[in-house]
Amino acid sequence: MDKLKMHSPDLTEANIAKLAELFPNCVTEAKDAKGEPRKVIDFDLLRQELASSIVEGPQERYQLNWPGKREALLTANAPIARTLRPCREESVDFDSTQNLFIEGDNLDALKLLQETYLNKVKLIYIDPPYNTGNDFIYADDFAEDAETYFGRSAQKDESGNRLIANTEANGRFHSDWVSMIYPRLKLARNLLRDDGVIFISIGDEEIHNLRRAADEVFGEMNYRGTIARATGTRMGSGNTRISSEIDFVVIYAKSDLYEFQSLPMGDEDVAIYDQQDERGRYLTRSLRRTGGENRREDRPTMYYPITTPGGQAIYPIAPEGWESRWVCGKDKYEELLRAGLIEWKQVQKEGVSRWQVYQKHYLGEGLKYSSNLWVGVEGNKKATRDLNQIFDGRKVFDHPKPIEVLQRILMISTSAKEECVIMDFFSGSGTTAHAVIKQNCDDNGKRKFIAVQLPEALSSDNRTQQVALEFCDALGKPRTIAEICKERIRRAGKKIGSENAITAPNLDTGFRVLKIDSSNMKEVYYTPDAVTQEALPGLVDNIRADRTAEDLLFQVLLDWGVDLALPISQQTIAGKTVFFVDGNALAACFETGIDEDFVKQLAAHKPLRAVFRDAGFVSDSVKINVEQVFKLLSPATEIKTL
Ligand SMILES: C[S@@+](CC[C@H](N)C(=O)[O-])C[C@H]1O[C@@H](n2cnc3c(N)ncnc32)[C@H](O)[C@@H]1O
């Protein structure tokens, strides 16, 4: 029987496997520090394979580099032995909801989700710290041990979290920020579907570095533009630097399969369709290209004669007399003509009557979003007012993003018709989760969210956080931003749900809370060689004493790559509790005293996967027989132990 591995995937190993597929001859074996054989790359051979296209040594090349890049790459690839522990009390509709709230560092969360959500997420929206010099960056500790780190930074918060205010006095001001964002972007990309997309909010401070890092991670060809949005907050003028009243959202697709969706039309959009015929409302646009690139030499194939209703051939000639061009080639023009989408109008000029040609656009063809200038959306002050309202007028969070902006992002990147996963791993006050619930309510969508937020300690030095801290105290909750975020989603979900109980009775306003914690397995699980003979009796069970059956269940789901948002039910079989995930997708029993009779009864349910505790069997012979019993009664079941 196979054992579960109980740590996040080792991405270096995965990269070696990918190279092995292309160049099997370049993968060889070497012994690691413990003398165990492991797969390694023979770089000399790989170099030979790529001889004509390799850049060696100090030769100049175009690339993004910063002190810490190597560590950032290692940070992204290193596996972690952590897990997600469910927390029913803090969840809403734990058993049935399809939404997840993950509490912890997003680097860990992204690693833990690598297998389960690989190529599954349609949209990722993030709003990372902008690196204003006052916001906090959570320092990853892969490259340095704690002593070295604290020696350098001499900063930690009261709960010992290594959060640093990244001030410009710090010589690594930009490097620290890029080192923070780069591994997260790399891991995030793996989670995106091939037709998926990431929207990243950013300010002036790091937009240049973000673009360079994201170009490298997603590929420059997948850059889809940068939205500029007026924040609506007047800053006055600065003498040394022009003041910033806009906020950016940078967009990268996973591949060319991503397409922007249409935005529903507002009254203003409909009003421009000012003509009508038996097919409906339409507008006309000149068939001759106007604006830029409108000369014959710009597109010579778009200069050709067409015939007027009067039977004359006309060419695209500008009013000033120079040769211009049509908006499309001849084939496309003929297609438009056959489809009845060409309209002729006779105009009088200086006593002479002339034909002019137009293309008809009917209402209902949908408006594709194409502009990078977002005007007329809610500003930041409105966002703060809306959030304050949720918290009974108290201001508990600085700089939330407007819900309407997130809804617009949801509308142009996802469709209401399709069930899809939306992720935000810098959740802050939970605007993305709120917007997903609201948008699903507005358009009857089936989007599900995964919100990740660090339990960042609230500080009494900051007025807003002081209010938030008092709020947490009143609720009897820990003083963290994650608590504010969960409470916001609870309140927003409840409000939207109750206000729309009749029109949206099946709206999912719940979320399953999962907290990142140390593995459920004792150290010995990972380092069996280190155990001495004398210590063995205490280690018969390899599971930490404080972990519940539900904790184990979620670690199994993670390890097996089973969706963490699937419905879970419990049944008692032969006096033992069994968890069934999504009907019979997985059956898990973590009790002790498992005998053959129980195994037979469980096998009769024909689960696709079954899992037991290694120390759960009454005897070694039962453990050995399990596979036989399943082979007989449910041969398709895959069985594992932990
Ligand atoms: C700019 S705020 C996001 C605000 C959010 N868009 C909203 O509308 O409320 C960034 C958030 O990311 C969180 N954060 C920073 N580093 C993190 C990390 N390593 N893991 C998870 N969350 C983190 C911070 O606690 C902060 O609340």
Side-chain angles (χ1 to χ4, degrees):
M1 224 175 314
D2 286 344
K3 274 207 148 192
L4 290 154
K5 64 179 177 345
M6 300 296 178
H7 58 71
S8 71
D10 182 332
L11 297 181
T12 306
E13 245 173 51
N15 287 340
I16 292 178
K18 282 183 211 158
L19 273 177
E21 271 177 32
L22 291 174
F23 307 104
N25 54 330
C26 298
V27 180
T28 173
E29 275 192 355
K31 290 208 166 142
D32 67 11
K34 288 189 217 146
E36 298 290 329
R38 64 188 182 94
K39 289 205 166 115
V40 291
I41 297 292
D42 181 337
F43 277 103
D44 287 336
L45 218 55
L46 186 62
R47 227 175 243 121
Q48 293 239 298
E49 294 276 7
L50 305 171
S52 64
S53 48
I54 249 183
V55 187
E56 294 285 4
Q59 203 173 321
E60 283 179 357
R61 67 194 88 165
Y62 182 78
Q63 64 165 177
L64 170 65
N65 222 337
W66 73 96
K69 181 170 187 178
R70 203 181 287 264
E71 287 88 340
L73 273 162
L74 286 173
T75 304
N77 287 342
I80 49 162
R82 304 235 165 113
T83 194
L84 291 174
R85 299 181 67 188
C87 183
R88 273 185 178 267
E89 318 78 79
E90 297 181 10
S91 306
V92 178
D93 301 331
F94 183 91
D95 288 317
S96 57
T97 182
Q98 307 241 50
N99 301 317
L100 299 178
F101 179 91
I102 298 178
E103 187 166 316
D105 183 359
N106 50 22
L107 188 67
D108 291 341
L110 287 163
K111 288 185 177 187
L112 288 170
L113 300 181
Q114 286 294 298
E115 283 177 322
T116 315
Y117 289 93
L118 185 77
N119 290 326
K120 296 258 172 65
V121 178
K122 172 69 185 170
L123 163 69
I124 297 178
Y125 166 78
I126 52 168
D127 178 14
Y130 283 10
N131 210 12
T132 56
N134 302 317
D135 46 8
F136 289 91
I137 307 273
Y138 188 71
D140 301 324
D141 61 0
F142 184 79
E144 293 169 296
D145 60 37
E147 288 305 302
T148 327
Y149 176 77
F150 290 128
R152 176 165 70 76
S153 77
Q155 289 180 74
K156 60 180 169 175
D157 70 12
E158 59 199 19
S159 7
N161 289 328
R162 291 182 304 279
L163 283 161
I164 50 163
N166 198 26
T167 61
E168 275 184 80
N170 170 3
R172 295 173 44 121
F173 185 67
H174 293 294
S175 304
D176 278 349
W177 191 87
V178 187
S179 285
M180 183 280 292
I181 205 71
Y182 188 87
R184 288 166 172 83
L185 292 181
K186 263 187 97 64
L187 292 164
R189 182 178 179 276
N190 296 340
L191 301 187
L192 283 179
R193 290 174 9 181
D194 288 346
D195 64 347
V197 63
I198 184 166
F199 284 66
I200 309 167
S201 277
I202 197 69
D204 252 347
E205 302 81 359
E206 294 294 347
I207 188 167
H208 52 310
N209 288 322
L210 174 69
R211 281 288 314 276
R212 297 282 312 272
D215 274 350
E216 190 167 304
V217 172
F218 293 94
E220 213 176 327
M221 65 287 195
N222 290 315
Y223 171 64
R224 295 300 183 94
T226 297
I227 294 162
R229 176 184 68 90
T231 58
T233 309
R234 304 304 308 271
M235 302 298 286
S237 60
N239 288 334
T240 53
R241 203 165 148 168
I242 201 152
S243 59
S244 172
E245 296 179 7
I246 52 174
D247 196 45
F248 303 107
V249 185
V250 172
I251 310 168
Y252 282 83
K254 171 89 172 263
S255 76
D256 55 7
L257 293 179
Y258 169 72
E259 274 186 20
F260 285 106
Q261 302 284 315
S262 302
L263 270 185
M265 295 197 197
D267 291 345
E268 280 171 35
D269 305 314
V270 172
I272 60 171
Y273 291 78
D274 52 356
Q275 294 165 69
Q276 176 105 28
D277 65 12
E278 61 294 346
R279 282 166 70 178
R281 287 178 76 135
Y282 68 94
L283 58 80
T284 53
R285 292 283 177 262
S286 166
L287 194 72
R288 186 179 69 77
R289 167 93 183 186
T290 53
E293 295 187 4
N294 54 350
R295 303 228 163 212
R296 177 177 181 175
E297 57 270 29
D298 292 325
R299 299 298 282 274
T301 57
M302 294 188 185
Y303 182 86
Y304 50 88
I306 59 177
T307 312
T308 68
Q312 308 153 256
I314 60 159
Y315 285 85
I317 303 295
E320 299 81 14
W322 44 266
E323 289 178 341
S324 178
R325 68 168 177 99
W326 304 119
V327 295
C328 58
K330 195 154 173 48
D331 290 350
K332 174 78 181 166
Y333 167 75
E334 273 158 13
E335 216 177 277
L336 293 172
L337 194 63
R338 282 192 298 276
L341 294 175
I342 294 295
E343 181 163 295
W344 289 93
K345 293 180 191 169
Q346 243 178 337
V347 289
Q348 298 288 333
K349 210 168 174 195
E350 292 154 7
V352 186
S353 167
R354 281 217 211 125
W355 286 106
Q356 286 204 343
V357 62
Y358 297 86
Q359 183 180 346
K360 292 164 95 172
H361 299 266
Y362 281 91
L363 176 65
E365 286 167 7
L367 192 67
K368 284 268 177 184
Y369 201 80
S370 59
S371 170
N372 62 1
L373 179 63
W374 282 20
V375 285
V377 279
E378 286 170 356
N380 291 1
K381 281 191 185 142
K382 167 90 166 48
T384 298
R385 277 200 306 276
D386 285 348
L387 185 59
N388 294 355
Q389 214 175 30
I390 295 174
F391 285 94
D392 316 319
R394 280 167 290 196
K395 186 177 178 204
V396 294
F397 193 85
D398 284 320
H399 316 304
K401 287 288 181 281
I403 300 166
E404 198 196 327
V405 170
L406 265 302
Q407 283 192 262
R408 202 183 246 230
I409 291 175
L410 289 170
M411 280 190 274
I412 61 172
S413 59
T414 65
S415 152
K417 294 187 199 114
E418 186 197 27
E419 276 198 15
C420 60
V421 180
I422 320 291
M423 184 175 192
D424 180 346
F425 54 85
F426 284 98
S427 277
S429 69
T431 308
T432 305
H434 184 162
V436 167
I437 298 176
K438 175 94 174 39
Q439 189 58 33
N440 281 345
C441 178
D442 291 355
D443 65 8
N444 202 16
K446 300 269 177 295
R447 305 169 187 86
K448 313 167 202 182
F449 66 76
I450 302 178
V452 182
Q453 175 56 36
L454 187 71
E456 183 180 330
L458 293 160
S459 141
S460 47
D461 305 343
N462 167 318
R463 228 185 96 210
T464 305
Q465 295 208 357
Q466 172 69 34
V467 176
L469 187 151
E470 285 160 14
F471 186 83
C472 291
D473 287 352
L475 290 179
K477 303 273 187 198
R479 298 165 156 190
T480 71
I481 294 182
E483 295 304 327
I484 297 294
C485 186
K486 285 178 281 185
E487 187 60 16
R488 191 256 181 100
I489 311 172
R490 279 186 208 110
R491 289 180 176 221
K494 197 166 171 190
K495 184 164 185 287
I496 298 171
S498 63
E499 284 172 0
N500 300 278
I502 297 172
T503 46
N506 301 320
L507 187 68
D508 185 357
T509 57
F511 58 94
R512 222 172 238 181
V513 175
L514 304 173
K515 296 190 181 182
I516 298 177
D517 206 332
S518 58
S519 167
N520 295 317
M521 315 312 283
K522 289 179 190 159
E523 254 330 279
V524 57
Y525 190 89
Y526 303 101
T527 50
D529 299 350
V531 181
T532 59
Q533 199 65 26
E534 304 81 72
L536 270 175
L539 296 169
V540 175
D541 197 352
N542 48 19
I543 295 161
R544 284 184 215 263
D546 64 332
R547 303 304 162 102
T548 66
E550 217 155 46
D551 287 334
L552 300 181
L553 177 66
F554 274 81
Q555 191 154 4
V556 169
L557 296 182
L558 268 181
D559 216 272
W560 228 325
V562 178
D563 189 339
L564 303 171
L566 289 173
I568 296 168
S569 61
Q570 289 182 34
Q571 278 186 40
T572 308
I573 296 177
K576 303 200 184 306
T577 304
V578 180
F579 293 98
F580 284 93
V581 179
D582 198 25
N584 72 343
L586 185 145
C589 181
F590 304 111
E591 295 209 21
T592 50
I594 292 192
D595 56 19
E596 209 158 308
D597 177 46
F598 169 83
V599 176
K600 282 183 183 155
Q601 291 195 44
L602 183 64
H605 286 77
K606 299 198 184 318
L608 294 176
R609 305 174 185 88
V611 63
F612 305 94
R613 200 170 170 143
D614 201 42
F617 301 98
V618 279
S619 66
D620 282 351
S621 66
V622 173
K623 188 172 162 185
I624 293 163
N625 275 343
V626 168
E627 287 191 329
Q628 278 318 103
V629 173
F630 270 95
K631 210 174 253 173
L632 223 62
L633 300 176
S634 177
T637 305
E638 207 184 326
I639 315 157
K640 286 196 185 179
T641 61
L642 66 107

